[in-house]
């Protein structure tokens, strides 16, 4: 499944690009030609795996598909090649020059509003709720009556 290696390469590129932003990636748009040999569903699945634990974790993958088109050098006709592609001119039989359809490029990256650290804290279960522990710890120092009682108790034997 070469979609996985494509996904990993894309994730590495984007991580490199957003490293100094310190923000999570909200979405990523790829332009993929229909002759690029990429199955969008497989790429989407691979993207989910490749983004785990990265700044792209949870980012939405958007795919723009580019239709394959060729131009005939013989008669100048421009035509979609179709799928599977027909790479010669329907009019005169001359091989077509491919104009589009092999694209595999990152079009845009959208960053999330929250800083990357905030998202990490939310994802890191157990790290997040110090507030809950604090609430439990809070009431404990309150019964300061205990030391007072001890003092009284210690005074009693002296009398
Ligand atoms: Zn032609």
């Amino acid at each position: 499944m070469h979609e996985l290696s494509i996904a990993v390469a894309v994730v590495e590129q984007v991580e490199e690009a957003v490293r100094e932003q310190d923000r999570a990636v909200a979405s990523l748009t790829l332009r993929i030609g229909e002759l690029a040999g990429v199955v969008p569903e497989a790429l989407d699945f691979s993207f989910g795996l490749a983004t785990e634990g990265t700044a792209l974790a949870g980012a939405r993958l958007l795919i723009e598909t580019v239709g394959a088109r060729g131009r005939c050098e013989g008669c100048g006709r421009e035509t979609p090649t179709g799928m599977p592609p027909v790479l010669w001119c329907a009019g005169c039989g001359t091989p077509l020059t491919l104009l589009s359809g092999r694209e595999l490029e990152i079009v845009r990256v959208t960053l999330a509003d929250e800083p990357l650290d905030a998202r990490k804290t939310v994802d890191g279960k157990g790290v997040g709720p110090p507030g809950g522990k604090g609430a439990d710890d809070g009431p404990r120092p309150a019964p300061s009556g205990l030391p007072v009682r001890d003092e009284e108790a210690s005074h009693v034997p002296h009398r």
Side-chain angles (χ1 to χ4, degrees), residues 72 75 89 92:
C72 172
C75 66
C89 178
C92 68

Side-chain angles (χ1 to χ4, degrees), residues 44-108:
D44 193 49
F45 176 75
S46 301
F47 184 76
L49 297 178
T51 55
E52 275 178 21
T54 73
L56 287 79
R60 237 164 25 114
L61 177 64
L62 306 167
I63 296 175
E64 290 180 2
T65 306
V66 182
R69 295 183 65 84
R71 185 179 62 236
C72 172
E73 303 299 344
C75 66
R77 178 204 292 239
E78 275 190 30
T79 175
T81 65
M83 266 310 270
V86 176
L87 296 173
W88 56 87
C89 178
C92 68
T94 305
L96 298 175
T97 301
L98 207 56
L99 299 175
S100 65
R102 310 201 63 137
E103 293 81 356
L104 181 52
E105 53 201 29
I106 299 168
V107 182
R108 83 183 63 86

Side-chain angles (χ1 to χ4, degrees), residues 2 6-7 11 21 87 90 98 124 136-137 148:
H2 79 138
I6 292 171
V11 167
Q21 309 285 333
L87 296 173
L98 207 56
D136 288 340
D137 290 343
V148 177

